[in-house]
Amino acid sequence: MSAQETPNVAAKTTKTPKGAWTITFLLFLFMVVNFADKIVVGLAGVPIMTEMKLSAEQFGLLGSSFFFLFSISAIVVGFIVNKVPTRWVLLTLAVIWAVSQFPMVGTVSFTTLLICRIVLGAGEGPAFSVAAHAIYKWFPDEKRTLPTAILSQGSAFGVILAVPALNWIIVNHSWHYAFGALGVVGLIWVAAWLALGKEGPLEDTEVLAATEPKIPYVQLLTSRTFLGCVVATFGAYWALSLGLTWFTPFIVKGLGFSQRQAGFISILPWVFGATIVILTGWISQVMMARGYTTRVSRGVLGSVPLIVGGLILTAMAHVEGAGLQIALLVVGSGLCGAIYVVCPPMLGEFTPASQRGAVLAIYGALYTLSGIIAPSVMGTVIQRASSMLDGYLTGFTINAVVMIGSGVIGLLLLWPNTEKARLTRGAAAQGTALKGAVSPT
Protein backbone atom coordinates (compact mmCIF):
# COMPACT_ATOMS: atom_id res chain seq x y z
CA MET A 1 0.00 0.00 0.00
CA SER A 2 1.40 3.41 -0.95
CA ALA A 3 1.79 6.33 1.40
CA GLN A 4 -0.91 8.18 -0.53
CA GLU A 5 -3.43 5.43 0.11
CA THR A 6 -2.96 5.34 3.89
CA PRO A 7 -4.91 8.53 4.73
CA ASN A 8 -7.85 7.31 2.67
CA VAL A 9 -8.02 4.07 4.66
CA ALA A 10 -7.87 6.01 7.92
CA ALA A 11 -10.63 8.32 6.75
CA LYS A 12 -12.86 5.41 5.86
CA THR A 13 -12.40 3.65 9.17
CA THR A 14 -13.30 6.73 11.24
CA LYS A 15 -16.81 6.86 9.81
CA THR A 16 -19.40 4.64 11.49
CA PRO A 17 -21.13 2.49 8.85
CA LYS A 18 -24.88 2.50 8.38
CA GLY A 19 -26.52 -0.22 10.46
CA ALA A 20 -23.89 -0.17 13.22
CA TRP A 21 -26.36 0.93 15.89
CA THR A 22 -28.93 -1.65 14.79
CA ILE A 23 -26.34 -4.38 15.34
CA THR A 24 -25.38 -2.78 18.66
CA PHE A 25 -29.02 -2.90 19.77
CA LEU A 26 -29.39 -6.55 18.74
CA LEU A 27 -26.24 -7.47 20.64
CA PHE A 28 -27.48 -5.46 23.61
CA LEU A 29 -30.57 -7.71 23.55
CA PHE A 30 -28.23 -10.71 23.22
CA MET A 31 -26.63 -9.71 26.52
CA VAL A 32 -30.06 -9.06 28.06
CA VAL A 33 -30.96 -12.71 27.40
CA ASN A 34 -27.50 -13.78 28.55
CA PHE A 35 -27.86 -12.24 32.01
CA ALA A 36 -31.50 -13.17 32.42
CA ASP A 37 -30.32 -16.77 31.99
CA LYS A 38 -27.62 -16.21 34.60
CA ILE A 39 -29.80 -14.57 37.25
CA VAL A 40 -32.64 -17.09 37.31
CA VAL A 41 -30.90 -19.58 39.64
CA GLY A 42 -30.08 -16.88 42.20
CA LEU A 43 -33.57 -15.39 41.94
CA ALA A 44 -35.18 -18.79 42.46
CA GLY A 45 -32.54 -19.81 44.99
CA VAL A 46 -34.80 -20.14 48.02
CA PRO A 47 -37.57 -22.13 46.21
CA ILE A 48 -34.94 -24.37 44.60
CA MET A 49 -33.17 -25.02 47.92
CA THR A 50 -36.51 -25.68 49.61
CA GLU A 51 -37.89 -28.05 46.97
CA MET A 52 -34.63 -29.95 46.42
CA LYS A 53 -33.55 -29.78 50.08
CA LEU A 54 -30.15 -28.28 49.25
CA SER A 55 -27.62 -27.05 51.80
CA ALA A 56 -25.83 -23.71 51.39
CA GLU A 57 -22.73 -25.55 50.17
CA GLN A 58 -24.74 -27.48 47.56
CA PHE A 59 -26.35 -24.28 46.33
CA GLY A 60 -22.92 -22.65 46.18
CA LEU A 61 -21.78 -25.58 44.03
CA LEU A 62 -24.77 -25.05 41.75
CA GLY A 63 -23.82 -21.39 41.35
CA SER A 64 -20.21 -22.27 40.62
CA SER A 65 -21.12 -25.06 38.16
CA PHE A 66 -22.21 -22.49 35.62
CA PHE A 67 -18.53 -21.53 35.27
CA PHE A 68 -16.99 -25.02 35.06
CA LEU A 69 -16.70 -24.91 31.23
CA PHE A 70 -17.18 -21.16 30.91
CA SER A 71 -13.49 -20.30 30.51
CA ILE A 72 -12.54 -23.29 28.35
CA SER A 73 -15.39 -22.56 25.97
CA ALA A 74 -14.47 -18.87 25.83
CA ILE A 75 -10.90 -19.64 24.76
CA VAL A 76 -11.86 -22.23 22.13
CA VAL A 77 -14.52 -20.03 20.58
CA GLY A 78 -12.22 -17.01 20.77
CA PHE A 79 -9.78 -18.63 18.37
CA ILE A 80 -12.68 -19.75 16.16
CA VAL A 81 -13.97 -16.19 15.69
CA ASN A 82 -10.55 -15.11 14.44
CA LYS A 83 -11.49 -16.96 11.24
CA VAL A 84 -15.25 -17.64 11.32
CA PRO A 85 -17.84 -14.84 10.91
CA THR A 86 -19.20 -13.74 14.28
CA ARG A 87 -22.75 -13.79 12.90
CA TRP A 88 -22.87 -17.60 12.90
CA VAL A 89 -20.99 -18.02 16.16
CA LEU A 90 -23.43 -15.75 17.99
CA LEU A 91 -26.37 -17.64 16.51
CA THR A 92 -24.98 -20.99 17.69
CA LEU A 93 -24.38 -19.69 21.21
CA ALA A 94 -27.93 -18.37 21.51
CA VAL A 95 -29.41 -21.71 20.39
CA ILE A 96 -27.41 -23.52 23.08
CA TRP A 97 -28.74 -21.12 25.73
CA ALA A 98 -32.34 -21.66 24.72
CA VAL A 99 -32.18 -25.45 24.49
CA SER A 100 -30.44 -25.83 27.86
CA GLN A 101 -33.36 -24.14 29.69
CA PHE A 102 -36.19 -26.48 28.67
CA PRO A 103 -35.27 -29.58 30.78
CA MET A 104 -36.07 -27.60 33.94
CA VAL A 105 -39.71 -27.10 32.95
CA GLY A 106 -40.67 -30.53 34.33
CA THR A 107 -39.53 -32.48 37.37
CA VAL A 108 -35.76 -32.28 37.54
CA SER A 109 -33.06 -33.80 39.71
CA PHE A 110 -30.18 -31.85 41.21
CA THR A 111 -27.81 -33.65 38.83
CA THR A 112 -29.83 -32.64 35.76
CA LEU A 113 -30.05 -29.06 36.96
CA LEU A 114 -26.28 -29.07 37.53
CA ILE A 115 -25.58 -30.46 34.03
CA CYS A 116 -27.89 -27.94 32.35
CA ARG A 117 -26.16 -25.07 34.14
CA ILE A 118 -22.75 -26.40 33.04
CA VAL A 119 -23.97 -26.60 29.41
CA LEU A 120 -25.47 -23.12 29.65
CA GLY A 121 -22.17 -21.80 31.03
CA ALA A 122 -20.28 -23.38 28.11
CA GLY A 123 -22.62 -21.56 25.73
CA GLU A 124 -22.39 -18.25 27.56
CA GLY A 125 -18.64 -18.25 28.25
CA PRO A 126 -17.68 -16.66 24.90
CA ALA A 127 -20.75 -14.37 24.73
CA PHE A 128 -19.41 -10.97 25.73
CA SER A 129 -16.02 -11.29 24.02
CA VAL A 130 -17.58 -12.49 20.74
CA ALA A 131 -20.22 -9.75 20.88
CA ALA A 132 -17.54 -7.09 21.55
CA HIS A 133 -15.43 -8.47 18.69
CA ALA A 134 -18.50 -8.26 16.44
CA ILE A 135 -19.23 -4.65 17.46
CA TYR A 136 -15.63 -3.59 16.85
CA LYS A 137 -16.09 -4.54 13.21
CA TRP A 138 -18.63 -1.70 13.05
CA PHE A 139 -16.84 1.05 15.00
CA PRO A 140 -13.31 2.53 14.78
CA ASP A 141 -11.21 2.56 17.95
CA GLU A 142 -11.99 6.12 19.01
CA LYS A 143 -15.74 5.38 18.93
CA ARG A 144 -15.79 1.99 20.66
CA THR A 145 -16.20 2.91 24.34
CA LEU A 146 -19.85 3.95 24.17
CA PRO A 147 -20.98 0.88 22.14
CA THR A 148 -19.05 -1.28 24.63
CA ALA A 149 -20.90 0.45 27.48
CA ILE A 150 -24.24 -0.24 25.77
CA LEU A 151 -23.27 -3.86 25.21
CA SER A 152 -22.24 -4.17 28.86
CA GLN A 153 -25.59 -2.75 29.89
CA GLY A 154 -27.31 -5.77 28.46
CA SER A 155 -26.25 -7.41 31.71
CA ALA A 156 -27.95 -4.82 33.89
CA PHE A 157 -31.07 -4.57 31.77
CA GLY A 158 -31.21 -8.35 31.54
CA VAL A 159 -31.64 -8.35 35.29
CA ILE A 160 -33.78 -5.20 35.53
CA LEU A 161 -36.25 -6.43 32.91
CA ALA A 162 -36.15 -10.11 33.75
CA VAL A 163 -36.28 -10.08 37.55
CA PRO A 164 -39.84 -8.69 37.96
CA ALA A 165 -41.19 -10.96 35.23
CA LEU A 166 -39.35 -14.08 36.36
CA ASN A 167 -40.13 -13.44 40.00
CA TRP A 168 -43.84 -13.10 39.13
CA ILE A 169 -43.67 -16.50 37.44
CA ILE A 170 -41.82 -18.00 40.43
CA VAL A 171 -44.25 -16.57 43.00
CA ASN A 172 -47.49 -17.24 41.08
CA HIS A 173 -46.61 -20.44 39.23
CA SER A 174 -43.28 -22.23 39.69
CA TRP A 175 -39.58 -21.69 39.34
CA HIS A 176 -39.66 -24.44 36.69
CA TYR A 177 -41.68 -22.25 34.33
CA ALA A 178 -39.25 -19.37 34.74
CA PHE A 179 -36.60 -21.46 33.00
CA GLY A 180 -39.02 -22.38 30.22
CA ALA A 181 -39.88 -18.70 29.64
CA LEU A 182 -36.19 -17.91 29.19
CA GLY A 183 -35.87 -20.71 26.62
CA VAL A 184 -38.69 -19.19 24.57
CA VAL A 185 -37.16 -15.70 24.76
CA GLY A 186 -33.84 -17.12 23.61
CA LEU A 187 -35.46 -18.63 20.52
CA ILE A 188 -37.12 -15.29 19.71
CA TRP A 189 -33.69 -13.61 19.72
CA VAL A 190 -32.35 -16.35 17.43
CA ALA A 191 -35.12 -15.58 14.91
CA ALA A 192 -34.40 -11.82 15.08
CA TRP A 193 -30.66 -12.36 14.57
CA LEU A 194 -31.26 -14.65 11.60
CA ALA A 195 -33.31 -11.90 9.99
CA LEU A 196 -31.19 -8.84 10.84
CA GLY A 197 -27.71 -9.92 11.97
CA LYS A 198 -24.79 -8.96 9.73
CA GLU A 199 -21.00 -8.96 9.77
CA GLY A 200 -19.31 -5.58 10.23
CA PRO A 201 -17.79 -3.99 7.09
CA LEU A 202 -14.77 -2.30 8.69
CA GLU A 203 -12.74 -5.49 9.04
CA ASP A 204 -12.50 -8.52 6.78
CA THR A 205 -11.35 -11.42 8.95
CA GLU A 206 -9.82 -13.43 6.11
CA VAL A 207 -7.97 -10.47 4.57
CA LEU A 208 -6.63 -9.31 7.93
CA ALA A 209 -5.48 -12.82 8.81
CA ALA A 210 -3.48 -12.96 5.57
CA THR A 211 -2.05 -9.41 5.49
CA GLU A 212 -1.97 -7.89 8.97
CA PRO A 213 1.30 -8.08 10.97
CA LYS A 214 1.02 -10.42 13.93
CA ILE A 215 2.27 -10.02 17.48
CA PRO A 216 3.14 -13.31 19.24
CA TYR A 217 0.38 -14.33 21.64
CA VAL A 218 2.87 -14.79 24.44
CA GLN A 219 3.72 -11.08 24.21
CA LEU A 220 0.09 -10.02 24.04
CA LEU A 221 -0.94 -12.19 26.98
CA THR A 222 1.98 -11.16 29.20
CA SER A 223 1.68 -7.44 28.46
CA ARG A 224 1.05 -5.38 31.56
CA THR A 225 -2.24 -3.99 30.27
CA PHE A 226 -3.60 -7.47 29.50
CA LEU A 227 -2.60 -8.70 32.95
CA GLY A 228 -4.01 -5.57 34.56
CA CYS A 229 -7.33 -6.05 32.78
CA VAL A 230 -7.55 -9.69 33.85
CA VAL A 231 -6.79 -8.95 37.52
CA ALA A 232 -9.03 -5.88 37.75
CA THR A 233 -11.99 -7.56 36.08
CA PHE A 234 -11.45 -10.70 38.18
CA GLY A 235 -12.27 -8.62 41.24
CA ALA A 236 -15.29 -7.03 39.58
CA TYR A 237 -16.61 -10.40 38.46
CA TRP A 238 -16.25 -11.78 41.97
CA ALA A 239 -18.86 -9.24 43.02
CA LEU A 240 -21.02 -9.89 39.98
CA SER A 241 -21.08 -13.66 40.44
CA LEU A 242 -22.08 -13.22 44.09
CA GLY A 243 -24.86 -10.92 42.94
CA LEU A 244 -26.09 -13.49 40.45
CA THR A 245 -26.11 -16.37 42.94
CA TRP A 246 -26.39 -15.01 46.47
CA PHE A 247 -27.98 -11.55 46.44
CA THR A 248 -31.61 -12.72 46.53
CA PRO A 249 -30.98 -15.48 49.12
CA PHE A 250 -29.21 -12.83 51.24
CA ILE A 251 -32.28 -10.60 51.03
CA VAL A 252 -34.66 -13.44 51.93
CA LYS A 253 -32.73 -15.60 54.40
CA GLY A 254 -30.19 -13.12 55.70
CA LEU A 255 -32.38 -10.02 56.08
CA GLY A 256 -35.83 -11.60 56.34
CA PHE A 257 -37.64 -10.14 53.32
CA SER A 258 -40.26 -12.16 51.43
CA GLN A 259 -39.63 -13.64 47.99
CA ARG A 260 -42.02 -11.09 46.48
CA GLN A 261 -40.19 -8.16 48.12
CA ALA A 262 -36.81 -9.61 47.18
CA GLY A 263 -37.81 -9.58 43.51
CA PHE A 264 -37.93 -5.79 43.51
CA ILE A 265 -34.93 -5.28 45.81
CA SER A 266 -32.81 -7.55 43.61
CA ILE A 267 -32.89 -5.14 40.68
CA LEU A 268 -31.38 -2.25 42.68
CA PRO A 269 -27.68 -3.19 42.17
CA TRP A 270 -28.27 -3.54 38.46
CA VAL A 271 -30.05 -0.20 38.13
CA PHE A 272 -27.17 1.51 39.90
CA GLY A 273 -24.61 -0.52 37.94
CA ALA A 274 -26.30 0.42 34.65
CA THR A 275 -25.96 4.09 35.54
CA ILE A 276 -22.27 3.66 36.36
CA VAL A 277 -21.53 1.81 33.12
CA ILE A 278 -23.29 4.29 30.84
CA LEU A 279 -21.66 7.23 32.65
CA THR A 280 -18.24 5.57 32.38
CA GLY A 281 -18.66 4.97 28.65
CA TRP A 282 -19.77 8.54 28.03
CA ILE A 283 -17.12 10.14 30.26
CA SER A 284 -14.37 8.00 28.72
CA GLN A 285 -15.34 8.99 25.20
CA VAL A 286 -15.57 12.70 26.14
CA MET A 287 -12.15 12.55 27.83
CA MET A 288 -10.59 10.97 24.74
CA ALA A 289 -12.16 13.63 22.51
CA ARG A 290 -10.58 16.28 24.75
CA GLY A 291 -7.12 14.77 24.39
CA TYR A 292 -6.70 12.66 27.54
CA THR A 293 -4.58 9.54 27.09
CA THR A 294 -6.29 6.18 27.28
CA ARG A 295 -4.19 5.51 30.38
CA VAL A 296 -6.37 8.13 32.12
CA SER A 297 -9.63 7.98 30.15
CA ARG A 298 -9.77 4.17 30.30
CA GLY A 299 -7.24 2.73 32.77
CA VAL A 300 -7.64 5.09 35.72
CA LEU A 301 -11.35 5.63 35.06
CA GLY A 302 -11.96 1.88 35.32
CA SER A 303 -9.71 1.01 38.26
CA VAL A 304 -10.50 3.70 40.82
CA PRO A 305 -14.22 2.77 41.16
CA LEU A 306 -13.17 -0.79 42.04
CA ILE A 307 -11.10 0.47 44.96
CA VAL A 308 -13.82 2.85 46.14
CA GLY A 309 -16.48 0.13 45.82
CA GLY A 310 -14.40 -2.29 47.87
CA LEU A 311 -13.94 0.29 50.63
CA ILE A 312 -17.70 0.84 50.73
CA LEU A 313 -18.36 -2.91 51.03
CA THR A 314 -16.04 -3.17 54.04
CA ALA A 315 -18.49 -0.99 55.98
CA MET A 316 -21.34 -3.54 55.65
CA ALA A 317 -20.23 -5.61 58.61
CA HIS A 318 -20.02 -2.54 60.85
CA VAL A 319 -23.45 -0.96 60.39
CA GLU A 320 -26.90 -1.87 61.67
CA GLY A 321 -30.13 -2.00 59.71
CA ALA A 322 -31.16 -3.90 56.60
CA GLY A 323 -31.74 -0.74 54.57
CA LEU A 324 -28.24 0.62 55.14
CA GLN A 325 -26.62 -2.75 54.49
CA ILE A 326 -28.50 -3.10 51.20
CA ALA A 327 -27.52 0.45 50.20
CA LEU A 328 -23.82 -0.22 50.85
CA LEU A 329 -24.00 -3.50 48.93
CA VAL A 330 -25.78 -1.86 45.99
CA VAL A 331 -23.33 1.05 45.70
CA GLY A 332 -20.17 -0.91 46.48
CA SER A 333 -20.83 -3.73 44.03
CA GLY A 334 -22.38 -1.41 41.42
CA LEU A 335 -19.19 0.63 41.07
CA CYS A 336 -17.46 -2.46 39.65
CA GLY A 337 -19.24 -1.94 36.35
CA ALA A 338 -16.79 0.72 35.17
CA ILE A 339 -14.03 -1.80 34.47
CA TYR A 340 -16.15 -3.81 32.00
CA VAL A 341 -16.52 -0.73 29.80
CA VAL A 342 -12.87 0.18 29.50
CA CYS A 343 -10.97 -3.12 29.34
CA PRO A 344 -12.15 -4.50 25.97
CA PRO A 345 -11.36 -1.22 24.15
CA MET A 346 -7.97 -1.09 25.88
CA LEU A 347 -7.14 -4.57 24.67
CA GLY A 348 -8.39 -3.63 21.21
CA GLU A 349 -5.97 -0.68 21.14
CA PHE A 350 -2.87 -2.83 20.85
CA THR A 351 -4.14 -6.21 19.64
CA PRO A 352 -4.13 -6.79 15.85
CA ALA A 353 -7.72 -7.15 14.66
CA SER A 354 -7.07 -10.64 13.30
CA GLN A 355 -6.02 -11.75 16.82
CA ARG A 356 -8.50 -9.68 18.81
CA GLY A 357 -11.22 -12.33 19.08
CA ALA A 358 -8.85 -14.77 20.78
CA VAL A 359 -7.32 -12.16 23.08
CA LEU A 360 -10.72 -10.87 24.23
CA ALA A 361 -11.88 -14.44 24.77
CA ILE A 362 -8.80 -15.42 26.79
CA TYR A 363 -9.24 -12.26 28.85
CA GLY A 364 -12.86 -13.24 29.51
CA ALA A 365 -11.91 -16.82 30.28
CA LEU A 366 -9.39 -15.77 32.91
CA TYR A 367 -11.35 -13.11 34.77
CA THR A 368 -14.50 -15.23 34.92
CA LEU A 369 -12.60 -17.89 36.89
CA SER A 370 -13.71 -15.87 39.90
CA GLY A 371 -17.22 -17.04 39.04
CA ILE A 372 -16.18 -20.58 39.96
CA ILE A 373 -14.58 -19.51 43.21
CA ALA A 374 -16.81 -16.76 44.65
CA PRO A 375 -20.23 -18.51 44.94
CA SER A 376 -18.62 -21.62 46.43
CA VAL A 377 -16.58 -19.58 48.93
CA MET A 378 -19.72 -17.72 50.01
CA GLY A 379 -21.62 -21.00 50.46
CA THR A 380 -18.83 -22.48 52.59
CA VAL A 381 -18.54 -19.33 54.72
CA ILE A 382 -22.31 -19.26 55.34
CA GLN A 383 -22.38 -22.97 56.18
CA ARG A 384 -19.64 -22.59 58.80
CA ALA A 385 -20.62 -19.22 60.32
CA SER A 386 -22.17 -18.86 63.77
CA SER A 387 -25.25 -17.29 62.16
CA MET A 388 -26.48 -16.96 58.60
CA LEU A 389 -26.23 -13.15 58.59
CA ASP A 390 -22.68 -13.28 59.95
CA GLY A 391 -21.79 -15.70 57.16
CA TYR A 392 -23.14 -13.37 54.48
CA LEU A 393 -21.36 -10.34 55.93
CA THR A 394 -18.07 -12.24 56.15
CA GLY A 395 -18.50 -13.32 52.52
CA PHE A 396 -19.07 -9.74 51.40
CA THR A 397 -16.02 -8.59 53.38
CA ILE A 398 -13.91 -11.13 51.47
CA ASN A 399 -15.42 -9.69 48.29
CA ALA A 400 -14.36 -6.18 49.39
CA VAL A 401 -10.74 -7.25 49.92
CA VAL A 402 -10.64 -8.89 46.48
CA MET A 403 -12.06 -5.74 44.85
CA ILE A 404 -9.60 -3.38 46.54
CA GLY A 405 -6.59 -5.55 45.69
CA SER A 406 -7.62 -6.04 42.06
CA GLY A 407 -8.36 -2.33 41.65
CA VAL A 408 -4.93 -1.32 42.95
CA ILE A 409 -3.19 -3.78 40.63
CA GLY A 410 -5.25 -2.52 37.71
CA LEU A 411 -4.34 1.06 38.53
CA LEU A 412 -0.63 0.14 38.45
CA LEU A 413 -0.70 -1.94 35.25
CA LEU A 414 -3.18 -0.35 32.84
CA TRP A 415 -1.11 1.67 30.32
CA PRO A 416 -2.74 0.92 26.93
CA ASN A 417 -1.52 4.12 25.24
CA THR A 418 2.12 2.93 25.32
CA GLU A 419 1.45 -0.79 24.89
CA LYS A 420 1.10 -0.97 21.11
CA ALA A 421 4.41 0.73 20.35
CA ARG A 422 6.23 -1.39 22.92
CA LEU A 423 4.74 -4.65 21.64
CA THR A 424 5.40 -3.74 18.00
CA ARG A 425 9.03 -2.93 18.80
CA GLY A 426 9.35 -6.19 20.72
CA ALA A 427 7.89 -8.24 17.89
CA ALA A 428 10.15 -6.51 15.35
CA ALA A 429 13.24 -7.07 17.50
CA GLN A 430 12.34 -10.72 17.97
CA GLY A 431 11.84 -11.11 14.21
CA THR A 432 15.23 -9.53 13.51
CA ALA A 433 16.93 -11.80 16.06
CA LEU A 434 15.35 -14.88 14.52
CA LYS A 435 16.47 -13.85 11.02
CA GLY A 436 19.99 -13.30 12.31
CA ALA A 437 20.00 -16.71 13.98
CA VAL A 438 19.08 -18.58 10.80
CA SER A 439 21.14 -16.53 8.33
CA PRO A 440 24.28 -18.24 6.95
CA THR A 441 27.58 -17.19 8.54
Side-chain angles (χ1 to χ4, degrees):
M1 182 178 288
S2 68
Q4 291 179 329
E5 291 176 302
T6 305
N8 293 332
V9 173
K12 288 179 183 176
T13 57
T14 56
K15 186 176 180 181
T16 302
K18 184 179 179 181
W21 289 106
T22 299
I23 296 299
T24 301
F25 178 68
L26 284 171
L27 292 176
F28 163 80
L29 294 178
F30 177 77
M31 295 306 297
V32 167
V33 177
N34 178 286
F35 267 77
D37 289 344
K38 284 185 175 77
I39 194 68
V40 66
V41 161
L43 185 63
V46 174
I48 290 173
M49 284 190 277
T50 301
E51 180 179 318
M52 306 183 93
K53 297 179 174 58
L54 304 182
S55 67
E57 283 186 318
Q58 286 176 306
F59 187 70
L61 173 64
L62 181 63
S64 295
S65 69
F66 177 84
F67 296 96
F68 286 174
L69 296 179
F70 197 93
S71 298
I72 295 171
S73 172
I75 293 172
V76 171
V77 175
F79 280 97
I80 290 173
V81 295
N82 279 348
K83 298 183 178 180
V84 176
T86 53
R87 181 180 184 228
W88 302 114
V89 176
L90 290 164
L91 184 73
T92 302
L93 296 177
V95 170
I96 292 172
W97 304 353
V99 171
S100 65
Q101 303 291 0
F102 291 116
M104 271 73 75
V105 174
T107 303
V108 63
S109 67
F110 177 68
T111 301
T112 302
L113 180 55
L114 202 68
I115 291 171
C116 287
R117 293 302 288 180
I118 293 171
V119 171
L120 178 65
E124 294 201 350
F128 182 79
S129 57
V130 175
H133 183 54
I135 278 183
Y136 293 172
K137 295 183 179 184
W138 289 90
F139 293 90
D141 178 62
E142 69 274 11
K143 297 181 180 179
R144 287 175 180 168
T145 309
L146 187 57
T148 304
I150 293 171
L151 181 67
S152 298
Q153 275 328 281
S155 61
F157 279 88
V159 176
I160 294 167
L161 297 174
V163 163
L166 293 174
N167 198 57
W168 183 87
I169 295 172
I170 292 166
V171 170
N172 293 285
H173 298 282
S174 166
W175 64 268
H176 297 275
Y177 294 133
F179 284 88
L182 289 173
V184 172
V185 170
L187 292 178
I188 292 172
W189 187 89
V190 166
W193 185 250
L194 269 174
L196 301 172
K198 297 177 182 177
E199 202 73 6
L202 293 185
E203 299 172 358
D204 186 313
T205 301
E206 292 182 3
V207 171
L208 287 172
T211 62
E212 188 179 42
K214 302 290 191 301
I215 297 175
Y217 278 104
V218 66
Q219 291 187 23
L220 290 169
L221 302 181
T222 56
S223 66
R224 62 184 177 186
T225 299
F226 179 85
L227 296 174
C229 278
V230 168
V231 174
T233 320
F234 181 95
Y237 208 80
W238 187 291
L240 185 145
S241 59
L242 288 185
L244 291 170
T245 306
W246 284 108
F247 186 85
T248 304
F250 168 63
I251 297 300
V252 176
K253 289 195 167 186
L255 299 180
F257 290 88
S258 70
Q259 179 71 33
R260 189 183 300 274
Q261 291 170 321
F264 292 101
I265 296 170
S266 294
I267 69 172
L268 294 178
W270 306 93
V271 172
F272 182 76
T275 305
I276 292 297
V277 167
I278 293 296
L279 277 175
T280 302
W282 177 74
I283 292 170
S284 175
Q285 211 143 299
V286 168
M287 290 176 72
M288 289 181 66
R290 293 183 178 180
Y292 286 88
T293 66
T294 51
R295 156 67 180 166
V296 177
S297 61
R298 288 175 174 173
V300 175
L301 188 64
S303 300
V304 170
L306 263 176
I307 300 170
V308 175
L311 292 172
I312 291 170
L313 280 187
T314 59
M316 277 187 68
H318 306 287
V319 300
E320 298 292 335
L324 184 54
Q325 288 174 334
I326 290 172
L328 292 171
L329 181 56
V330 166
V331 175
S333 58
L335 286 171
C336 292
I339 199 69
Y340 299 110
V341 182
V342 297
C343 274
M346 280 194 284
L347 297 177
E349 280 185 59
F350 60 84
T351 303
S354 61
Q355 298 173 273
R356 189 179 59 221
V359 169
L360 287 174
I362 293 168
Y363 153 70
L366 293 174
Y367 80 70
T368 54
L369 289 173
S370 61
I372 298 176
I373 304 167
S376 186
V377 167
M378 178 67 95
T380 301
V381 169
I382 293 169
Q383 190 84 18
R384 298 179 182 180
S386 57
S387 72
M388 187 169 290
L389 181 58
D390 285 344
Y392 279 112
L393 294 177
T394 301
F396 288 125
T397 300
I398 294 170
N399 181 18
V401 172
V402 173
M403 283 171 56
I404 293 168
S406 64
V408 170
I409 292 171
L411 191 60
L412 294 173
L413 296 182
L414 296 176
W415 291 81
N417 53 311
T418 61
E419 204 76 85
K420 185 171 185 177
R422 188 181 65 80
L423 287 170
T424 303
R425 286 196 304 270
Q430 187 178 48
T432 302
L434 288 172
K435 286 180 182 178
V438 299
S439 62
T441 56

